[in-house]
Amino acid sequence: MPTARPTIADVAQRAGVSKGLVSFALNDRPGVSPQTRERILEAARELGWQPNLRARALSVDRAFALGLVIMRDPEIITGDPFYPSFIAGVERELASAGQALVLSVVPDEAAELAAYRKLVTDRRVDGVFVTDLRHDDARIALAAELGVPAVTLGHPEAPSPFPAVSMDDRAGIAAAVDHLAGLGHRRIAHVAGPDRMLHGSRRRRAFEEAMAAAGLPAGMVVETEFRAVDGARATRDLLARPDRPTAIVYANDPMAIAGLGIAQRAGLRVPHDLSITGFDGSDVGEHLFPSLSTVATDAVSWGAVAARVLLRSIAGEEPGDTDLPPARFVPRESTAPVTEPTDRTVP
Amino acid sequence: MPTARPTIADVAQRAGVSKGLVSFALNDRPGVSPQTRERILEAARELGWQPNLRARALSVDRAFALGLVIMRDPEIITGDPFYPSFIAGVERELASAGQALVLSVVPDEAAELAAYRKLVTDRRVDGVFVTDLRHDDARIALAAELGVPAVTLGHPEAPSPFPAVSMDDRAGIAAAVDHLAGLGHRRIAHVAGPDRMLHGSRRRRAFEEAMAAAGLPAGMVVETEFRAVDGARATRDLLARPDRPTAIVYANDPMAIAGLGIAQRAGLRVPHDLSITGFDGSDVGEHLFPSLSTVATDAVSWGAVAARVLLRSIAGEEPGDTDLPPARFVPRESTAPVTEPTDRTVP
DNA sequence: CTGAAAGCGCTTACAG
DNA sequence: CTGAAAGCGCTTACAG
């Protein structure tokens, strides 16, 4: 049990004023004479008074907190660096603004919607982040129905009443394809994220467009989940094809790292026999041999900006959409010129 | 703006009873006749009444939330799988208990202490998790001073008033060393986490004890941070030594993965020239070539149990300490018998 | 500039 | 079994 903490009433008594005046003084509102204000502040200091956010929350009908709901299978951690970085960026803004982050991790879509709803009806948060957008994303309508401010990462497909903070990932994919094309690759494949996810299908489309723009034949595309295990399977399938690709563009780093493992396991030398690119710039990819060429996204900034935008929405402003600097391709060792075309198939 | 939501007063009016009785009925407390209770519940349902947690929090002096503070450099994400899994486990318990998780991510120790303090004095949480214990960990005393229930992951060194939920990681390290010794390795090194962290120094001690128990000469130990980049540097140093090890036991997976990269880059074949083991069982390690032998810890269960224990503490019970099943060694491809001893040094 | 009062939406003794 | 009232710790009109 914490010992009973002083309340505003104790401060008022000590300063010899009313509770109301204490509140005014503490919140720097006009209408308090300098001397009285000083006396009140002094009393609060002496008593070690700390505002009780719960009481404040009830009075002003604000939670002073933001909600983030993450959907993922708890048993399968892909080592995806996005959320840790994103959250770190969010926190950087929140701490100084006196806000907190309420985090929900849920296993599936039904639980996800329920989590958003509960966060809001419980009055736990004043606004929510909507990440990992999907086609026909039910969360937009839900947030609108609940009347809660929200910010989306990227633009949803349907019209949305919420500001979007976007980072163009297509430029990064295009740069990867161009880089590979420049190295002489023609049979380039893409291991894509699930089509139901906007960034899955958007990166895929970017890949297809970049291939066309480079004058290359339509590349092979394997759609799968964003997990390492799926990247491995997709790679195995691609390498088993008679027209096996000489380069593979992966939609994220865990898939690419697993793909690298599969290729090496099959006896291919990366990058000489097969070039590989990832996406999202995981820390570990930099230390592999060969180090992973990837598309770097600044998830920390994304989190910080999204938090700022959400806070402004909550404050009643209408922030409008924000475009972050596009993701950029970071060539490392896993991409190289095609050596002589080989017809060797993989067992 | 959400439209004004019905309050308990609206329900009372509709049911024709007092607010107090509504509260009793809604909280399933005795002293309400079945018919009245039914009438009240009916009214609440018709009105779509939802409890306002803010008001409840103020009344009962509870936040219905738990706090987790994570310290890490936002720019350096190691792909450490521990926290995502741990949090997923925590959430599994919280959702059903009507509790929420408030997360703080901070860059350094000063900010960490400030974050705990703020979480508690703001009355945002009813209890806190203390993870990544250090020597002379100031957080124990702080939590005690703040009078907030806490649960520690592992046993702090100083006497602690809080229940500990522990997972013996020494058994896993010992198993790794035994495995390597059984394969004929004698020059085994350990890339350790920082000595200031309990699990850093504990794993190191476990390594040293296991070496002695196996009748091997004291192994080389390099102490460093838990990041991939540090694992890489430590490995480079070890491999440059004239008496370079034939096996390296790493204190976590990101370090081991980076070490694998360094070894391969130096022209060593893993596991033939160098065996490698990790710790924590990251998803991606399984898909490398060679796949990473590691020590698997069940972070999801750890989170779930810690949450349960903390909830019981908050409820006024005295849970006592809990020991989880020990971490276990998972041999994969990165460990193999020593081939002929080689004196080849690495450039 | 200052005070006294009502209110936020709940819970909880205290009486009947 | 039920009601009326006070209280949690703040904020905020409303009067003076």
Side-chain angles (χ1 to χ4, degrees):
Chain A
M1 290 304 143
T3 75
R5 283 185 359 192
T7 74
I8 208 175
D10 300 316
V11 176
Q13 194 189 339
R14 184 179 194 101
V17 297
S18 71
K19 283 168 32 182
L21 206 55
V22 172
S23 176
F24 271 64
L26 260 11
N27 290 312
D28 269 334
R29 293 173 51 148
V32 187
S33 73
Q35 309 95 296
T36 318
R37 174 188 309 277
E38 196 37 61
R39 192 150 40 90
I40 292 172
L41 262 29
E42 175 70 19
R45 220 174 298 128
E46 287 170 3
L47 256 26
W49 177 85
Q50 300 278 131
N52 183 327
L53 213 59
R54 292 211 279 254
R56 206 153 114 75
L58 183 59
S59 285
V60 303
D61 201 31
R62 289 262 278 111
F64 304 107
L66 269 28
L68 175 63
V69 179
I70 300 179
M71 180 170 85
R72 61 152 96 205
D73 181 343
E75 306 297 345
I76 299 173
I77 299 304
T78 60
D80 185 13
F82 180 77
Y83 277 112
S85 301
F86 179 78
I87 290 174
V90 168
E91 294 273 4
R92 200 147 75 187
E93 294 301 313
L94 295 199
S96 54
Q99 307 280 323
L101 178 68
V102 177
L103 176 66
S104 270
V105 178
V106 296
D108 54 49
E109 278 191 42
E112 183 189 43
L113 290 174
Y116 276 100
R117 186 180 289 278
K118 187 132 184 57
L119 243 24
V120 175
T121 58
D122 276 354
R123 318 286 224 183
R124 294 205 107 120
V125 299
D126 300 318
V128 294
F129 296 94
V130 179
T131 63
D132 284 338
L133 284 173
R134 300 182 292 268
H135 294 285
D136 294 320
D137 204 305
R139 292 172 296 171
I140 307 295
L142 176 62
E145 172 205 329
L146 294 170
V148 67
V151 60
T152 60
L153 268 60
H155 290 275
E157 284 183 323
S160 158
F162 304 114
V165 177
S166 309
M167 185 175 292
D168 181 13
D169 45 5
R170 292 170 311 175
I173 292 282
V177 170
D178 288 350
H179 177 76
L180 291 168
L183 294 171
H185 292 273
R186 290 185 54 80
R187 290 203 311 280
I188 306 177
H190 179 48
V191 175
D195 220 53
R196 65 175 186 284
M197 308 199 74
L198 251 45
H199 56 309
S201 56
R202 193 177 49 237
R203 289 174 196 174
R204 174 201 184 130
R205 205 163 346 107
F207 170 77
E208 287 163 348
E209 288 168 9
M211 289 293 280
L216 296 178
M220 311 158 233
V221 174
V222 183
E223 181 206 329
T224 183
E225 301 294 316
F226 274 122
R227 303 169 308 180
V229 62
D230 304 300
R233 187 178 318 115
T235 306
R236 221 177 283 118
D237 291 350
L238 283 170
L239 297 185
R241 297 173 62 144
D243 57 341
R244 112 179 127 64
T246 63
I248 305 180
V249 172
Y250 292 83
N252 80 354
D253 267 22
M255 293 197 297
I257 293 171
L260 171 62
I262 290 294
Q264 293 178 146
R265 189 173 299 274
L268 296 178
R269 293 165 309 155
V270 177
H272 309 297
D273 300 325
L274 179 72
S275 283
I276 278 180
T277 69
F279 202 104
D280 260 353
S282 70
D283 198 38
V284 87
E286 189 176 340
H287 296 281
L288 299 177
F289 180 66
S291 61
L292 185 64
S293 299
T294 190
V295 177
T297 54
D298 185 353
V300 176
S301 299
W302 209 342
V305 173
R308 236 154 29 217
V309 165
L310 187 49
L311 251 17
R312 289 178 53 202
S313 292
I314 292 168
E317 299 177 42
E318 299 195 348
D321 294 340
T322 310
D323 283 310
L324 264 23
R328 45 175 239 296
F329 181 65
V330 179
R332 289 201 286 239
E333 298 169 345
S334 65
T335 42
V338 213
T339 47
E340 77 271 21
T342 154
D343 283 325
R344 174 162 58 121
T345 49
V346 176
Chain B
M1 294 301 143
T3 75
R5 283 188 355 194
T7 75
I8 208 176
D10 300 317
V11 176
Q13 193 189 341
R14 185 179 193 100
V17 297
S18 71
K19 280 169 35 183
L21 205 55
V22 171
S23 175
F24 271 64
L26 259 12
N27 290 314
D28 267 335
R29 293 174 51 148
V32 187
S33 74
Q35 310 94 295
T36 319
R37 174 189 308 278
E38 195 37 61
R39 193 150 39 92
I40 292 172
L41 263 28
E42 174 70 19
R45 219 173 301 129
E46 287 169 6
L47 255 26
W49 177 85
Q50 300 279 131
N52 182 326
L53 214 59
R54 288 208 284 251
R56 207 152 113 75
L58 182 60
S59 287
V60 302
D61 201 31
R62 289 260 280 111
F64 305 106
L66 271 26
L68 175 63
V69 179
I70 299 178
M71 180 171 84
R72 62 152 97 208
D73 180 343
E75 305 297 345
I76 299 174
I77 298 304
T78 60
D80 185 11
F82 180 77
Y83 277 113
S85 302
F86 178 79
I87 290 173
V90 168
E91 295 273 4
R92 199 148 75 186
E93 294 302 312
L94 295 199
S96 55
Q99 307 280 323
L101 178 68
V102 178
L103 177 67
S104 270
V105 178
V106 296
D108 54 49
E109 279 190 42
E112 183 189 43
L113 290 174
Y116 276 100
R117 186 180 288 280
K118 188 134 183 56
L119 243 25
V120 175
T121 57
D122 275 355
R123 317 286 223 185
R124 294 205 107 121
V125 299
D126 300 318
V128 294
F129 296 94
V130 179
T131 63
D132 284 337
L133 284 174
R134 300 181 293 267
H135 295 284
D136 294 319
D137 203 305
R139 292 172 296 172
I140 308 295
L142 176 62
E145 172 205 329
L146 294 170
V148 68
V151 61
T152 60
L153 267 60
H155 289 275
E157 284 182 325
S160 157
F162 305 114
V165 177
S166 309
M167 185 175 293
D168 181 13
D169 44 6
R170 292 169 311 175
I173 292 282
V177 170
D178 288 351
H179 177 77
L180 292 168
L183 293 172
H185 292 273
R186 290 184 54 80
R187 291 203 310 281
I188 307 177
H190 179 47
V191 175
D195 220 52
R196 65 175 187 283
M197 309 200 74
L198 251 45
H199 57 308
S201 56
R202 193 178 51 238
R203 289 174 197 174
R204 174 202 185 131
R205 203 160 348 105
F207 170 77
E208 287 163 348
E209 287 168 9
M211 289 293 280
L216 296 178
M220 311 157 230
V221 173
V222 184
E223 181 206 330
T224 184
E225 300 295 315
F226 275 122
R227 304 169 307 181
V229 62
D230 304 299
R233 188 178 318 114
T235 305
R236 220 176 284 117
D237 292 349
L238 282 171
L239 296 185
R241 297 172 63 142
D243 57 341
R244 106 180 132 65
T246 63
I248 305 180
V249 172
Y250 292 83
N252 80 354
D253 268 22
M255 293 197 297
I257 293 172
L260 171 62
I262 290 295
Q264 293 179 146
R265 187 174 300 275
L268 296 178
R269 293 164 310 154
V270 177
H272 309 296
D273 302 325
L274 180 72
S275 283
I276 278 180
T277 69
F279 202 104
D280 261 353
S282 71
D283 198 39
V284 87
E286 189 176 339
H287 295 282
L288 300 177
F289 180 66
S291 61
L292 185 65
S293 299
T294 192
V295 176
T297 55
D298 185 354
V300 176
S301 300
W302 209 343
V305 173
R308 240 161 15 224
V309 166
L310 187 50
L311 252 16
R312 289 179 51 204
S313 294
I314 292 168
E317 299 177 44
E318 299 194 348
D321 295 341
T322 311
D323 284 310
L324 264 23
R328 43 175 242 295
F329 181 64
V330 180
R332 290 201 285 239
E333 298 169 344
S334 65
T335 43
V338 214
T339 48
E340 75 271 20
T342 155
D343 283 323
R344 173 161 58 119
T345 49
V346 175

